[in-house]
Amino acid sequence: MPLDSPLTDIERPDIERPRLLSGMQPSADSLHLGNYIGALLSWKALQETHDAFFFLADLHAITVPQDPAELRANTRRTMAQYIAAGIDPAKSTLFVQSHVPAHAELAWVLNTLTGFGEAARMTQFKDKAAKQGQEAASVGLFTYPILQAGDILLYQAVDVPVGEDQRQHIELTRDLATRFNSRFGDTFTVPKPYILKDTAKIFDLQNPGAKMSKSAESPTGLIWLLDEPKVTEKKIMRAVTDADGEVRFDREAKPGLANLLTLFAILGNRSIESVVEEFAGGGYGTLKKALAAIVVETVEPIRTRTLELLEDPAELDRILAANAEKANAVAEQTLATVYDRVGFLPPLRRHR
Ligand code: AMP
Ligand code: TRP
């Protein structure tokens, strides 16, 4: 039996609908247009073809200091934005990581299989630790990728849609799954990275050399999904372009304009060429105005629906509880097999 499709007593992904898992950290009060295009739009499409699990990585979020009240609020707000953006809790399993204790438990076992040097090679850890000062970085930040491996392996996920920056973590996950399987017997599905296309990368409106990111220097460089329409329009109208005034797609020479054209094509569901054709000869102002209308048309219903969902936190929590139950059922099964394989004495009953 090949390792990629181990047949054990664990529930196996449905061949027709491969198991898929992805998540984000709930570390801001609003998602931005980059998150929407780079993650949520593909997730929404993938939930139609996959048995999808999407979660909020609150255990990961606390690897850097968080204000407790803010973390709690951001978790609800981010979940509301997932749903408002079209992730359907009736189709996908939508849950909060800390609601499934098996994540922390599997991470512990995987910690014991990971080499210190192997973990020390993770470039995202090095970057994040450098930002805080190596000495101040938590051990949690160091083991972050191992917790992430656990997230994926618990659900026997086949496909893991992530951005290019996460490739190394998925490689580590594959290594750990293969190592566990060869040491203890086939247990985990070895996942494949499902790297989302670079064309879905959105850049900062004020600094088009950098990707749109919540840690941006200027608040006007990114569009929050929860921005008022007027604010969104203003940000697009003020986006940095270039002085030559010619509408054509050139990522190198005209990165600001290229970003606007990309946004237009993705949100307008058309090709970049057709956008260039339509606006060639016109000024940037005309293009920006039309783009602002499309962005608002996309974002405004998400904002309205998010605020509506947040008016009824009890209903949101009910959805999360029901989904956590589905997630727990899958995760507990994998964890029980893992505990058995590594040689833990069976508990008479789980104390939950
Ligand atoms: P982050 O906000 O960096 O935690 O990223 C959460 C998700 O959004 C990941 O799947 C990223 O790949 C995606 N993402 C973040 N920023 C961008 C961006 N500027 N363009 C495209 N996707 C992005
Ligand atoms: N590290 C991912 C990010 O920063 C978030 C994440 C945590 C994740 N666990 C995961 C993504 C499991 C995919 C699968 O974007």
Side-chain angles (χ1 to χ4, degrees):
M1 193 62 58
L3 276 183
D4 278 283
S5 58
L7 246 195
T8 66
D9 47 337
I10 299 182
E11 181 202 354
R12 283 296 142 201
D14 186 332
I15 303 297
E16 293 301 312
R17 288 172 79 79
R19 184 68 59 74
L20 174 143
L21 174 128
S22 197
M24 293 185 213
Q25 300 183 56
S27 43
D29 64 353
S30 174
L31 295 175
H32 55 71
L33 201 55
N35 299 136
Y36 176 70
I37 290 175
L40 294 176
L41 263 187
S42 7
W43 294 4
K44 188 175 147 187
L46 287 164
Q47 73 181 345
E48 304 299 335
T49 52
H50 286 71
D51 177 17
F53 286 67
F54 298 115
F55 72 104
L56 285 181
D58 55 351
L59 300 179
H60 280 104
I62 63 164
T63 57
V64 297
Q66 300 286 340
D67 174 80
E70 267 176 33
L71 177 62
R72 205 173 345 262
N74 289 346
T75 303
R76 276 215 190 87
R77 287 171 79 86
T78 311
M79 196 46 93
Q81 289 170 83
Y82 277 19
I83 297 172
I87 310 297
D88 180 349
K91 283 184 189 154
S92 300
T93 308
L94 204 56
F95 66 100
V96 176
Q97 192 183 26
S98 63
H99 291 175
V100 183
H103 288 256
E105 294 167 310
L106 180 58
W108 179 255
V109 175
L110 297 175
N111 274 331
T112 67
L113 293 180
T114 311
F116 193 87
E118 191 175 27
R121 281 195 292 277
M122 295 294 122
T123 57
Q124 194 172 64
F125 167 73
K126 289 194 251 181
D127 293 348
K128 286 190 184 175
K131 262 188 211 151
Q132 298 183 36
Q134 189 86 24
E135 286 297 311
S138 70
V139 175
L141 191 65
F142 186 65
T143 60
Y144 177 118
I146 302 158
L147 177 61
Q148 181 167 352
D151 299 337
I152 298 166
L153 300 179
L154 270 181
Y155 299 92
Q156 309 289 348
V158 177
D159 291 314
V160 185
V162 286
E164 183 60 44
D165 63 329
Q166 297 295 310
R167 188 188 286 277
Q168 198 186 24
H169 292 172
I170 311 300
E171 286 306 324
L172 175 72
T173 305
R174 290 170 55 84
D175 290 346
L176 291 175
T178 309
R179 191 172 306 158
F180 189 99
N181 286 348
S182 64
R183 199 170 299 175
F184 299 106
D186 276 355
T187 303
F188 295 125
T189 300
V190 181
K192 296 195 296 274
Y194 184 106
I195 303 288
L196 298 163
K197 281 195 233 98
D198 230 25
T199 45
K201 193 162 173 184
I202 303 305
F203 295 87
D204 189 291
L205 298 175
Q206 290 301 316
N207 173 20
K211 103 176 183 176
M212 189 177 280
S213 155
K214 59 192 163 219
S215 48
E217 274 163 37
S218 155
T220 52
L222 73 172
I223 290 176
W224 299 108
L225 297 186
L226 302 184
D227 272 346
E228 301 267 354
K230 284 255 164 311
V231 175
T232 301
E233 273 165 25
K234 220 184 243 171
K235 287 179 180 173
I236 302 264
M237 294 312 289
R238 293 189 181 161
V240 164
T241 46
D242 54 73
D244 88 8
E246 191 194 335
V247 176
R248 64 188 162 82
F249 187 86
D250 186 337
R251 173 81 64 208
E252 302 292 302
K254 299 158 82 73
L257 187 68
N259 191 38
L260 299 182
L261 291 169
T262 305
L263 276 174
F264 207 127
I266 293 174
L267 298 180
N269 206 6
R270 50 195 281 192
S271 69
I272 289 182
E273 296 79 59
S274 87
V275 182
V276 170
E277 210 168 286
E278 180 179 341
F279 292 94
Y284 293 164
T286 321
L287 169 75
K288 284 178 170 177
K289 221 177 189 158
L291 174 61
I294 291 184
V295 174
V296 168
E297 216 173 278
T298 307
V299 169
E300 183 51 13
I302 299 177
R303 188 178 80 99
T304 314
R305 180 77 186 118
T306 301
L307 297 179
E308 241 171 54
L309 287 162
L310 288 171
E311 266 170 33
D312 192 354
E315 170 61 9
L316 201 57
D317 290 352
R318 196 196 57 72
I319 295 173
L320 291 182
N323 276 257
E325 214 168 296
K326 286 201 280 174
N328 266 301
V330 178
E332 284 292 333
Q333 216 183 339
T334 304
L335 186 73
T337 307
V338 168
Y339 273 18
D340 178 59
R341 298 264 156 97
V342 301
F344 292 164
L345 198 60
L348 287 182
R349 69 181 110 87
R350 292 282 273 161
H351 296 285
R352 290 273 189 244

